[in-house]
């Protein structure tokens, strides 16, 4: 292994092992019966997958993303993996897949960490070891319907800090011509189809040097998500974030809401009209990759309006960003018990 940690970006870097587990089941009276095998580590990074697998034919696929942090004390902390396990279980139920039990999920994450411990970046780099748990349907099928066989894979990769320089703002453009997900559809699940559906909009935004803000698919009046992240707005002493059945429940947002309450902010989850951006002092996207990505402006091309929010990251969101990072890197006590700590 020869990695220049200072040049590590947010892209895939090969590690020694991935971790895999398979499920072979049978549908009995509408219920899938079977067991997951014990997770095992392997150097084989390729899938031996039938061309008619339900993951390829009908999109039976779900994934997660979480990180391991080497702390200021040298210990390694994996952040809230149990919540990722729960969210993947909800995605599996939503797509009629075999849900990965929390115990199997945890064993796989721990094994992936232990087998790739050398790839956990040093503390001072700000880089982390990222885990991509993946769940796919493997049953060959041409008739429309769910499969009965699945594979669960944990793919580790060291990644660089989201902000390699100074913590800074990002611009967004509103897109009313592409919907990321529909109400009561799959938006609340972390599945690949939601991301593929957004590519037309996000790639067009990237060409303009911005990212994409999606509105609700029914009225195109309310903020849905910021590309692949939840939205946060600060108005006075309120921490405002959208509520919708089309929005992915963010583990980062959930954590930030807890910390916001501890800061004395009132957490409000409701529909958020796009026009409300004009009254917000701070706004941001939030997620595993960036934690918090402050928004300086939102451009509504269709209406000819630019919402200018902040030229620099605002004080409340900046404090929240550092509070969460301090827990993840072990700089302050983890009183919420969000991290599982490993010592080499």
């Amino acid at each position: 292994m020869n990695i220049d940690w200072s040049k590590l970006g947010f892209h895939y870097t090969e590690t020694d092992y991935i971790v895999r587990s398979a499920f072979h089941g049978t549908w009995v009276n509408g219920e899938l019966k079977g067991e997951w095998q014990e997770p095992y580590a392997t150097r084989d990074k390729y899938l031996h997958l039938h061309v008619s697998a339900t993951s390829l034919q009908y999109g039976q696929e779900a994934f997660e993303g979480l990180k391991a942090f080497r702390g200021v004390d040298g210990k390694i902390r994996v952040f809230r993996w149990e919540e990722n396990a729960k969210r993947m279980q909800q995605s599996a139920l939503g797509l009629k897949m075999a849900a990965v039990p929390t115990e199997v999920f945890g064993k796989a994450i721990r094994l992936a960490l232990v087998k790739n411990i050398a790839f956990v970046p040093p503390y001072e780099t700000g880089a982390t070891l990222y885990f991509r748990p993946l769940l796919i349907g493997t049953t060959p099928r041409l008739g429309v319907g769910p499969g009965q066989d699945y594979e669960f894979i944990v793919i580790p990769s060291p990644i660089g800090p989201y902000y390699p320089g100074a913590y800074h703002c990002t611009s967004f453009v509103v897109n009313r011509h592409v919907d990321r997900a529909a109400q009561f559809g799959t938006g609340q699940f972390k599945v690949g189809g939601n991301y593929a559906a957004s590519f037309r909009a996000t790639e067009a935004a990237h060409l303009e040097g911005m990212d994409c803000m999606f509105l609700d698919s029914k009225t195109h009046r309310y903020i849905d998500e910021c590309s692949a992240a939840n939205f946060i707005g600060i108005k006075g002493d309120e921490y405002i974030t959208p509520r919708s059945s089309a929005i992915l429940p963010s583990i980062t947002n959930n954590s930030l809401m807890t910390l916001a309450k501890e800061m004395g902010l009132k957490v409000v989850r409701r529909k958020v009209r796009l026009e409300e951006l004009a009254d917000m002092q701070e706004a941001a996207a939030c997620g595993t990759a960036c934690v918090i990505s402050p928004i300086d402006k939102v451009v509504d091309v269709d209406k000819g309006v630019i919402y200018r929010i902040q030229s620099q990251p605002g004080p409340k969101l900046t404090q929240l960003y550092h509070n969460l990072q301090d827990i993840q890197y072990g700089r302050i006590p983890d009183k919420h018990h969000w991290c599982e700590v490993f010592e080499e």
Side-chain angles (χ1 to χ4, degrees):
M1 183 186 73
N2 185 21
I3 298 177
D4 185 345
W5 301 112
S6 65
K7 296 181 179 178
L8 198 62
F10 197 84
H11 53 72
Y12 177 71
T13 298
E14 192 86 358
T15 58
D16 288 339
Y17 294 91
I18 63 171
V19 174
R20 306 171 81 150
S21 175
F23 176 97
H24 300 289
T26 304
W27 286 100
V28 180
N29 297 324
E31 185 177 356
L32 187 57
K33 302 286 188 179
E35 293 184 359
W36 285 95
Q37 71 177 148
E38 188 74 9
Y40 66 96
T42 175
R43 293 181 181 271
D44 183 5
K45 311 293 174 58
Y46 290 88
L47 290 170
H48 306 280
L49 189 64
H50 196 282
V51 294
S52 290
T54 56
S55 56
L56 301 177
Q57 299 297 323
Y58 301 116
Q60 278 200 302
E61 177 270 357
F63 68 96
E64 282 295 324
L66 62 148
K67 293 177 179 176
F69 303 78
R70 189 179 294 279
V72 65
D73 55 3
K75 299 176 183 179
I76 298 170
R77 290 166 171 82
V78 180
F79 185 71
R80 301 199 76 175
W81 67 262
E82 298 97 332
E83 295 303 312
N84 291 97
K86 292 176 186 176
R87 191 168 66 180
M88 178 169 267
Q89 289 160 7
Q90 290 302 309
S91 296
L93 291 173
L95 270 67
K96 295 292 289 185
M97 304 170 72
V100 180
T102 301
E103 181 182 4
V104 173
F105 192 102
K107 284 183 178 179
I109 294 295
R110 295 187 191 100
L111 183 57
L113 174 61
V114 169
K115 299 296 287 187
N116 297 284
I117 200 79
F119 291 90
V120 181
Y123 165 72
E124 62 272 9
T125 64
T128 58
L129 182 62
Y130 179 83
F131 298 103
R132 169 56 58 84
L134 174 67
L135 176 62
I136 59 171
T138 58
T139 304
R141 180 160 188 164
L142 287 181
V144 177
Q148 59 194 36
D149 308 291
Y150 298 89
E151 186 159 6
F152 174 58
I153 307 160
V154 175
I155 309 160
S157 174
I159 57 171
Y162 191 83
Y163 300 104
Y167 179 55
H168 59 267
C169 293
T170 303
S171 299
F172 280 78
V173 60
V174 174
N175 194 306
R176 290 186 176 82
H177 308 285
V178 176
D179 292 325
R180 185 193 67 89
Q183 188 178 17
F184 308 121
T186 60
Q188 62 187 300
F189 309 125
K190 195 168 180 68
V191 297
N194 296 339
Y195 296 82
S198 73
F199 288 164
R200 285 178 294 156
T202 56
E203 291 306 297
H206 293 164
L207 289 175
E208 300 296 326
M210 296 185 284
D211 217 325
C212 182
M213 178 173 284
F214 292 100
L215 304 180
D216 74 290
S217 62
K218 185 176 181 180
T219 70
H220 293 151
R221 292 180 55 197
Y222 302 98
I223 296 173
D224 189 350
E225 286 203 327
C226 297
S227 186
N230 277 193
F231 171 83
I232 304 168
I234 300 294
K235 183 178 178 181
D237 289 325
E238 287 188 337
Y239 175 113
I240 303 168
T241 192
R243 181 188 294 275
S244 166
S245 63
I247 295 175
L248 180 72
S250 167
I251 295 165
T252 301
N253 197 2
N254 177 274
S255 305
L256 291 170
M257 284 189 275
T258 297
L259 298 178
K261 291 176 183 176
E262 294 177 352
M263 284 172 50
L265 297 176
K266 179 182 178 182
V267 173
V268 181
R269 297 185 65 199
R270 58 170 173 80
K271 288 185 176 182
V272 181
R273 290 182 295 106
L274 180 65
E275 293 79 11
E276 292 184 62
L277 289 172
D279 300 320
M280 292 182 178
Q281 293 81 51
E282 301 179 49
C286 70
T288 298
C290 64
V291 182
I292 291 177
S293 181
I295 300 171
D296 57 358
K297 67 180 178 182
V298 177
V299 180
D300 187 347
V301 176
D302 294 335
K303 299 293 179 71
V305 177
I306 299 177
Y307 299 97
R308 299 187 184 278
I309 301 167
Q310 53 198 1
S311 58
Q312 299 293 329
K316 292 184 174 68
L317 289 177
T318 298
Q319 183 177 344
L320 283 168
Y321 173 80
H322 289 300
N323 288 354
L324 186 54
Q325 289 270 275
D326 285 346
I327 292 172
Q328 292 170 331
Y329 282 103
R331 294 189 286 256
I332 63 174
D334 176 19
K335 66 180 183 181
H336 300 290
H337 307 290
W338 283 340
C339 300
E340 183 168 339
V341 182
F342 296 83
E343 296 187 49
E344 295 181 66

